[in-house]
Amino acid sequence: MSYKFNNEESDIDLGIDLRGLPEEEVNQSAGSNQLQRNNEWDKLRIGNWNASESKKLMACDQKLARASWHNPDKLLAFSDGVLKYIFKKAKERQTGRVIKTSGSADTKYGTLVEGFAFRRADEHLRKEGLYLEKVGYKTIDGIDNAGSSSDGIVKDKNHSLIASAEIKCCTSWETLYDRTFENTDEKSQDFWQNIQQMLTWDVQKNYYIVISPPRNIFKYLNAANIEEMYEEWCSETEMEIEIIERSEIHCNALKTRMKIAEKTVQKYLDEGGNLRRILYDILDEEKNISRSEIEEQIIEEKSEFELEQELNQPEAIF
């Protein structure tokens, strides 16, 4: 499900009872969520399998790139890019350091207007009896060293958790096309990030909120007072919200990859050695386990079939 609206539609009355919703934040400022992008947040995320980079973990060898995630061979067909990502996480844990760069103008713009995008989405959702709540970093229950820094979570007027939320502020028509031209699926650039957020919050839906590009991002990057530019920003951009449904096959695939990557990092840090060799050894172990599980399933299914055949045999008459 997806829908679009622009600033001109902001006064639509949907006839929904809004009583019970919390007050809108007084400080509806531009800029990033104060629960994130700080020293404590960095410490929580360091060396972890984080949603913002989950696409890197799920990259596949070209031979099986088009295969279904139901195929156990695809789960184990790690690309070389995954090895590089695992190495990065191992080094973060080993050194306690995340290497930060200055970031591109696109990234800086996205961080700068993050508060605008959150406010805009919240204002819209309130007309449907829902609201956005800011959150920090959350780990996934039962999975070591993995989590998400969602842009928000969606709640109803009873303060019940409805969905996770991810906001993207585009800076070009190309990035808007990549994110909105077709409904999100596993080929989409933010698909795995959305999946991991639903896994983190244990919800069935994720609100994928995409803002179209302004005429000139540098007008905002160089603004003397960005706080005064909210209405202007809304007037020259549009917002699209796609509600993405949780997929268990993809959740399970993500958990399997995390488990393998985690075992690889742990062994590398504990014993040292060649990281590629360690990963391949673990993948070989997993292949044997997968084959054994498949063989057991075939035997079990065969036994059930034979039992059913016996039960359906006509009784002998003597």
Side-chain angles (χ1 to χ4, degrees):
M1 179 193 300
S2 63
Y3 49 93
K4 297 180 183 179
F5 81 101
N6 57 37
N7 205 47
E8 295 176 357
E9 298 172 302
S10 60
D11 294 326
I12 293 175
D13 181 6
L14 298 179
I16 295 173
D17 182 5
L18 304 183
R19 289 173 297 180
L21 291 181
E23 292 295 323
E24 294 181 64
E25 292 188 54
V26 175
N27 182 24
Q28 293 179 325
S29 61
S32 62
N33 178 358
Q34 296 304 305
L35 297 172
Q36 299 179 18
R37 297 184 178 86
N38 53 50
N39 290 336
E40 186 59 33
W41 179 75
D42 282 339
K43 290 176 184 175
L44 291 171
R45 298 177 76 249
I46 191 167
N48 281 10
W49 314 108
N50 298 316
S52 58
E53 297 181 306
S54 54
K55 181 181 178 181
K56 296 178 181 179
L57 183 62
M58 302 310 291
C60 288
D61 182 279
Q62 281 191 336
K63 293 178 182 177
L64 287 166
R66 295 180 179 275
S68 165
W69 285 101
H70 287 282
N71 183 344
D73 289 337
K74 181 167 183 171
L75 290 172
L76 307 178
F78 282 47
S79 72
D80 282 343
V82 179
L83 181 66
K84 185 186 294 186
Y85 177 58
I86 292 173
F87 176 79
K88 172 188 172 182
K89 292 302 170 182
K91 285 299 178 183
E92 286 181 0
R93 295 188 200 179
Q94 191 176 55
T95 65
R97 291 189 293 133
V98 175
I99 306 302
K100 294 189 176 183
T101 60
S102 59
S104 66
D106 292 350
T107 302
K108 290 177 181 177
Y109 165 77
T111 301
L112 183 66
V113 299
E114 189 176 85
F116 280 175
F118 183 95
R119 174 180 173 182
R120 187 174 186 178
D122 182 55
E123 288 173 352
H124 177 70
L125 290 175
R126 283 171 181 273
K127 294 168 189 165
E128 299 185 349
L130 305 170
Y131 68 95
L132 267 183
E133 181 179 298
K134 291 181 180 179
V135 293
Y137 184 75
K138 185 180 186 306
T139 54
I140 301 175
D141 290 342
I143 301 179
D144 292 337
N145 303 313
S148 302
S149 301
S150 301
D151 288 318
I153 52 175
V154 180
K155 290 187 172 182
D156 63 17
K157 63 182 181 180
N158 297 318
H159 313 300
S160 297
L161 178 61
I162 301 298
S164 51
E166 179 59 29
I167 301 173
K168 299 295 184 185
C169 296
C170 299
T171 57
S172 69
W173 296 126
E174 288 86 354
T175 54
L176 182 67
Y177 174 93
D178 290 340
R179 291 184 163 118
T180 64
F181 189 73
E182 295 178 334
N183 284 343
T184 302
D185 60 22
E186 64 184 51
K187 298 184 293 296
S188 305
Q189 68 182 69
D190 300 316
F191 175 78
W192 289 107
Q193 184 176 11
N194 286 298
I195 289 293
Q196 186 160 336
Q197 291 197 24
M198 287 184 273
L199 188 59
T200 300
W201 289 97
D202 193 21
V203 291
Q204 297 301 312
K205 297 177 183 178
N206 185 79
Y207 279 60
Y208 184 44
I209 302 159
V210 180
I211 309 291
S212 67
R215 294 182 183 88
N216 182 1
I217 66 171
F218 293 98
K219 175 174 65 176
Y220 298 95
L221 288 172
N222 299 326
N225 191 352
I226 185 68
E227 306 291 343
E228 297 177 354
M229 301 184 72
Y230 177 66
E231 296 300 333
E232 181 178 353
W233 179 80
C234 287
S235 70
E236 66 171 330
T237 58
E238 291 188 346
M239 178 169 70
E240 178 171 342
I241 300 176
E242 179 185 355
I243 300 175
I244 300 172
E245 301 287 341
R246 177 173 172 141
S247 162
E248 289 306 323
I249 183 63
H250 291 102
C251 285
N252 290 334
L254 184 56
K255 287 190 284 188
T256 297
R257 285 273 177 117
M258 285 178 182
K259 182 184 76 172
I260 293 169
E262 181 64 23
K263 285 174 69 174
T264 303
V265 168
Q266 291 284 359
K267 190 168 184 179
Y268 175 74
L269 294 178
D270 291 343
E271 302 175 12
N274 185 298
L275 184 66
R276 185 187 295 274
R277 185 72 266 155
I278 291 170
L279 173 61
Y280 286 176
D281 287 345
I282 290 172
L283 289 174
D284 284 341
E285 291 173 11
E286 291 294 326
K287 285 176 186 176
N288 292 332
I289 292 170
S290 296
R291 289 193 189 99
S292 297
E293 289 176 346
I294 291 169
E295 287 170 1
E296 286 177 9
Q297 185 177 352
I298 291 171
I299 292 169
E300 185 178 337
E301 289 174 353
K302 183 179 179 181
S303 298
E304 289 177 357
F305 175 76
E306 290 174 345
L307 178 60
E308 186 177 345
Q309 290 292 100
E310 289 176 8
L311 292 173
N312 290 332
Q313 286 289 333
E315 291 185 13
I317 300 174
F318 296 97

